[in-house]
Amino acid sequence: MEPGTMENLSIVYQSSDFLVVNKHWDLRIDSKTWRETLTLQKQLRHRFPELADPDTCYGFRFCHQLDFSTSGALCVALNKAAAGSAYRCFKERRVTKAYLALVRGHVQESQVTISYAIGRNSTEGRTHTMCIEGTQGCENPKPSLTELVVLEHGLYAGDPVSKVLLKPLTGRTHQLRVHCSALGHPVVGDLTYGQAVGGEDQPFRMMLHAFYLRIPTQAECVEACTPDPFLPTLDACWRPHTLVQPLDQLVQALQAAPDPDPMDGEPKPCSPSAPLPGPGRPPPETEAQRASCLQWLSEWTLEPQN
């Protein structure tokens, strides 16, 4: 996947109500800054000038967020009614997301459930970042849950890394990046939550990609699976040597899994009915985790992902 230009916007799903784009890395979704020469909003307006809505600030209604450094599936609603139906799916926690990532080190467990609560970091110089509960300066930590499945072990530029599939079951800001870092396996190229290395060793991007997205609106099921960008044929620095779990099996499981019911007071995000398959199983949910998740459900508000 080459860097973003005005001409190379990739569409992976299109209907009369929705688009799903394969967002490039190091690309803002929108910006009011005139110096921002390229944004996803400008790509969309260039490609689909007839679809831009003058009643919106940026011309397009983005149903959710991706970080500047994160690539992958991002849904755009093409009218107000479609945006409302997608918003309800997010609010009722019926949306399924899965990400691919390269993380530092070889994750030893084949499957991990990460449950560190995440809050805002009030430490001087880190006020725009997040942190896990117990970190000095961590404010208002909220229960957070991520499933991690190891796909491959290998080397990136000679350093040990793991290719993983990440399924966020809550939607905290920078959740996947914070959880991987807290696990001791930060995302390769994550300069905020990762390990500082020499400039000459920096990868060309942060290795986090929104791989799969399903939004089951009442009118249509918006489903998209983007191409895997972390292949040795696309990046010679990445050299896998051990297959742990085939990605195609996980894709089939994601596609076959039933859509979650609308939020009804049960802790579905904490006890998914169709967990990702893997050689190992995550530990059972504790009473403390269950109580924490019930509290989280009672105060749920839509927040940016990752």
Side-chain angles (χ1 to χ4, degrees), residues 44-300:
L44 285 165
R45 191 179 287 275
H46 178 76
R47 176 81 169 269
F48 301 105
E50 74 282 3
L51 298 181
D53 187 342
D55 293 333
T56 65
C57 180
Y58 296 106
F60 295 90
R61 295 177 172 88
F62 299 103
C63 298
H64 55 112
Q65 298 288 315
L66 287 178
D67 285 347
F68 168 76
S69 302
T70 304
S71 60
L74 191 144
C75 185
V76 182
L78 299 180
N79 54 69
K80 190 173 182 180
S85 65
Y87 172 78
R88 283 190 293 274
C89 287
F90 278 94
K91 186 172 184 180
E92 294 173 352
R93 303 195 38 76
R94 303 187 67 209
V95 176
T96 300
K97 292 181 179 181
Y99 292 70
L100 291 173
L102 297 182
V103 300
R104 296 285 181 189
H106 289 162
V107 182
Q108 295 305 307
E109 301 86 352
S110 57
Q111 183 162 334
V112 183
T113 298
I114 313 171
S115 57
Y116 298 107
I118 295 175
R120 296 198 174 274
N121 195 334
S122 63
T123 306
E124 185 176 357
R126 302 281 295 178
T127 53
H128 296 292
T129 65
M130 310 298 288
C131 55
I132 62 170
E133 188 173 19
T135 304
Q136 184 176 2
C138 188
E139 292 186 346
N140 193 26
K142 296 182 180 181
S144 309
L145 203 64
T146 301
E147 281 189 348
L148 178 152
V149 177
V150 179
L151 302 172
E152 294 177 290
H153 290 151
L155 301 174
Y156 191 88
D159 296 322
V161 301
S162 302
K163 182 176 179 177
V164 299
L165 185 78
L166 299 164
K167 187 177 178 184
L169 302 180
T170 51
R172 305 303 176 205
T173 301
H174 297 175
Q175 176 175 316
L176 301 181
R177 298 164 61 187
V178 172
H179 269 175
C180 287
S181 179
L183 197 65
H185 299 282
V187 175
V188 174
D190 188 345
L191 304 184
T192 301
Y193 301 103
Q195 302 155 331
V197 294
E200 69 277 12
D201 297 323
Q202 294 290 357
F204 66 96
R205 60 162 293 182
M206 184 176 74
M207 303 298 178
L208 180 63
H209 176 78
F211 176 61
Y212 177 84
L213 176 67
R214 184 169 72 235
I215 308 174
T217 71
Q218 187 172 6
E220 67 181 287
C221 182
V222 179
E223 185 175 35
C225 191
T226 60
D228 177 0
F230 306 135
L231 301 172
T233 53
L234 301 177
D235 185 352
C237 291
W238 164 231
R239 298 193 176 188
H241 57 61
T242 304
L243 176 66
V244 179
Q245 175 79 7
L247 179 58
D248 58 353
Q249 291 183 10
L250 298 177
V251 172
Q252 292 172 15
L254 287 167
Q255 294 172 335
D259 293 318
D261 293 327
M263 185 174 59
D264 58 7
E266 290 300 312
K268 285 185 172 60
C270 314
S271 303
S273 58
L276 294 174
R281 301 301 314 142
E285 180 184 52
T286 65
E287 286 300 318
Q289 288 173 326
R290 178 182 175 87
S292 186
C293 285
L294 283 170
Q295 178 185 358
W296 178 85
L297 284 170
S298 69
E299 62 183 24
W300 190 90

